[in-house]
Structures are given as structure tokens and as C-alpha cells.
Amino acid sequence: MKASLAARIFRTTLAIGLINAALTLVATEWIYEDIEETNLNISLAEERAFFQQRIEASARVQSWSSALLQVHYVPDTAVNTALPPLFAGLPVPFAAEVDADNETHLVSIERTESPPGVLYLAQDITVLENREDLLQQAGIIVLALAMLVLSLILARIGTGRIVRPLRNLSRQIATRKPGVDLGLIRTDYADQELADIVRVLNDLLAALEAYIHREKAMISLASHELRTPIAVISGALDVLEQRATLSEADQKTIARIRRAADKMQADVAALLKLAHRSDSMEKADQLDTNACVSAVIGELENSAPENAGRVTIVRTEPAPSVHADPALVHMLLRNLIQNALRHTHGQVSVRLGHDGLRVVDAGAGLPPHIHDRLNERQSKNEVPEDGLGLFIVGLICERLGWTLRVCKSGATGTEVELLYRAGPKSSG
């Protein structure tokens, strides 16, 4: 199963959206942290300026404290001064957050010029950090979900906008069918790439249509041209038979020539009929399949007396009526039964059922390449080199929408099934 272009575009667009969302969240977090740190530093700088003015010009250590603030001043003249644990071991200058005893403090250590010494400040921001972390996590989760939903929506909309013109083009192409006026595909696409594809397709359709018309004209001309010599042969055979001067051997030869001429005439009629693939040219009637089979058997027996009595009709179920072109149905049944008669010297039975019929013979079986061709394991586009009979049968079934398959083929005979509907082919 091939991958869907729409799914690939959707996944790619969604991945780009998620990457952008992740980068946005990281950048937002960094900017937020930077703003928070700047605000705290500004606030601490104001505190530092305030307490620096309160430093007394003396050689003693001074300290101030409140619920959230610790201030400690050590003059340069002080010796072996013990610092509070929060400031111990920190370099001068210093400015950063310090975690100690499950508390978070913003610590600032700087030298003072007048009086000379070191001013230590620590602001307790534990409550602020905890609340900020909670709000920040909730905000990130909400923002991430919102960006995920937005990415999904944008990916879906974007995929639809990209794929919709392709699907419209696919539907237009799907309406073009061989045998009818192909027409051109509309070119009012806003995207240049699609317009280029449509232009190339239209050029191809125009070339195909010209080719099909040329082939139809050639087949029709050849078929009409062949009708004249066939009619001349048939007329000459009638004249010879009317003279009644032929020996028994000559009469058998004349009969062989007439059978060949009749078959050629039937093949030419089939080719001419199949060359015109326009459904409007076909005359569909309600046909009694039992009567059609009987008429074909009678025709084959009249054209070849040695076939008299060799074909029997077996009615296992009431034979249905079908809505189809009488000429095509006649050609199909004639070629199918005639092929069975040609490949066996014994009896041939036509078994009529409620949804189709089966032609059963007692011959040596079909050659493998013909067996594969009838079951569509070979290309139907290749004209066979071993006769047109079964090839024409396949073309007519394709035209009528019927199914032809080989149910059995071997040393004990061949059984070919014809269903009055389209369906899967079996290997038989």
C-alpha cells in the first residue's frame, strides 16, 4: 500500500509546527527568566543603595535583617570576621541565586568605597520562586497544549489547501475514458506547477485522441475493404454450387472455403464493432440467453454439418435475460463455442445457469499461454499471434462488463465460465 501524499504533508507540517512551538517555549522561558532576574537585581540594587547609606564610618562589622532580607557589612579593617553560612565561601563580587536549607536566596556581594569594605545582601525569594514555578509550569502546559492544537489545525488546513487541487485534478483525469471524446482538462489552476502539469496532460490527451481516431479510421477502412473480397468469395462459391458440376471432393473443398469465408466475415464484423467503442453506438436489448445459445449452435451446425449434434444445452437452472448488445453477445457465444468445437472431437456442452453459463469440452486442455491470457495473468494490450477468436472473446467481455474465467483445463477437457457481471478472476 502506497503512502499518502496528504499524510506526508500533514506530518511534515505538524512536525514543523511542533518544532516552532518547542523553540517558542524555550525562548519564552529564557526571556522570562532574564526579565525576572533583571527585576530582582534592580530591586536588590535599591536595597543595597539604601543600606550603604546606613553604614557607619567605623571599623566594626554591621548587620541588618528582616523577614526576607539579610544584610551584612564587613569593613576592610576587620580581621578574622566570621560570615553567616549563607555568605561563607562566596567570592567578591558575586550575584546569583543560592539554594540552602530548602530556601532560595538572591545573593549580591559587592565592595563599597566609602567606607571601604564589603556589603553582603541576601533576599529570601523562596515563596516567590515556588509560586512562580507553579504558575510557570501551568502556563507552559497550557501554552504547549494550545500550540499543539493550533499546529494540528494549521496542519490540517494547510494539507487540505495543498492537496485539494491535486484531488480535483485526479477527479478530472478519472472522468476521461478510452473510446469517447477525451476532452481537455480545465486550466484555471492558481498554482503554476499544477498549471504546467495540466498543460502537459492536455497535450498528451490531444495526441492520444488523434491516435485513437486514426486507429479507428484505419480499422474501419480495413474492415470495409475486407468485406468486398469476402463478399466476392461467397458469391463465387454460390455460383459454383449452383452449377452442380462439382465432384464430391470438390464440394468438400468448397465447404471448407465457405466456412473460412464465414469465419473471416464474422471476425471482420467483430473487429468493426469493437473498433467503435462509443456506448451510444451500441444497441442494447433484453436478450433471452437460452435463445441466443440455441441460435449460435444452429448457425455453427449449418455452416459446418460435421458439427451437427456435437453441442448440447444443459439447463441446470432457468436461464436469465440479459440487457446487452445482440451483435456483441452473438459474436461472444459464437467464438466461445466454436473454439471448444475446434479443440475437441467429442461432445461440447453448454450449461446454462441463473447468473452465467459454462462451456465444457473433452479436449486436451488449453495451452498455458491461452489459459493465462483468459485469466488475465498476461497483458490484455498484446494482440495474440495464435488467432483472434479468444482475444475477441476477452474484448467483448470487457465491453459488456462480464467475467470470463477458466475453471478447469487439462487432459480431461476444458471448462470455461462466463458470468453476466464483472467479478474477480480465478486461476482455475
Side-chain angles (χ1 to χ4, degrees), residues 19-268:
I19 291 173
N20 288 333
L23 293 175
T24 301
L25 290 175
V26 172
T28 302
E29 174 70 13
W30 181 81
I31 293 173
Y32 182 83
E33 291 288 345
D34 184 70
I35 292 175
E36 176 194 9
E37 184 177 352
T38 301
N39 289 334
L40 290 174
N41 287 333
I42 291 174
S43 174
L44 208 57
E46 293 175 353
E47 296 288 352
R48 182 186 303 107
F50 171 77
F51 284 102
Q52 188 169 349
Q53 294 176 359
R54 299 185 60 184
I55 297 175
E56 299 176 357
S58 63
R60 68 184 183 86
V61 176
Q62 302 176 47
S63 297
W64 300 269
S65 65
S66 65
L68 300 177
L69 193 65
Q70 296 183 40
V71 183
H72 194 72
Y73 169 72
V74 179
D76 290 342
T77 56
V79 180
N80 297 328
T81 303
L83 295 173
L86 187 58
F87 302 119
L90 296 180
V92 180
F94 179 85
E97 291 184 4
V98 176
D99 293 324
D101 298 330
N102 296 324
E103 294 182 349
T104 302
H105 294 81
L106 183 62
V107 177
S108 174
I109 305 174
E110 289 188 7
R111 295 192 60 83
T112 60
E113 295 181 358
S114 178
V118 179
L119 183 61
Y120 297 84
L121 284 87
Q123 184 177 1
D124 188 350
I125 58 173
T126 303
V127 177
L128 179 63
E129 282 290 310
N130 292 338
R131 185 176 181 183
E132 177 186 300
D133 290 342
L134 181 61
L135 294 176
Q136 195 171 0
Q137 291 174 3
I140 289 176
I141 293 174
V142 172
L143 183 59
L145 290 176
M147 297 188 75
L148 175 61
V149 173
L150 182 61
S151 297
L152 287 170
I153 294 174
L154 292 179
R156 178 64 64 185
I157 294 175
T159 301
R161 289 176 61 88
I162 295 174
V163 176
R164 191 177 300 113
L166 293 175
R167 288 175 175 164
N168 291 338
L169 178 58
S170 176
R171 282 193 291 268
Q172 287 193 72
I173 296 174
T175 60
R176 271 63 184 175
K177 297 185 181 300
V180 297
D181 186 12
L182 295 176
L184 298 180
I185 301 173
R186 62 180 180 84
T187 58
D188 56 340
Y189 286 94
D191 301 309
Q192 183 61 45
E193 292 80 4
L194 286 177
D196 292 339
I197 293 174
V198 171
R199 178 178 53 79
V200 173
L201 285 174
N202 282 336
D203 292 342
L204 177 61
L205 289 175
L208 285 175
E209 193 166 13
Y211 178 82
I212 292 172
H213 286 318
R214 184 170 63 251
E215 292 297 307
K216 283 184 177 181
M218 184 190 69
I219 294 175
S220 297
L221 179 61
S223 300
H224 285 296
E225 290 294 325
L226 287 173
R227 284 182 171 182
T228 299
I230 293 174
V232 171
I233 293 172
S234 298
L237 292 174
D238 292 339
V239 172
L240 289 174
E241 289 178 342
Q242 289 173 1
R243 289 176 180 174
T245 59
L246 300 175
S247 65
E248 184 178 352
D250 290 338
Q251 290 177 1
K252 292 181 178 179
T253 302
I254 292 296
R256 290 178 58 193
I257 296 175
R258 184 175 293 282
R259 287 196 297 272
D262 291 342
K263 184 179 184 306
M264 185 182 300
Q265 186 173 18
D267 289 342
V268 169

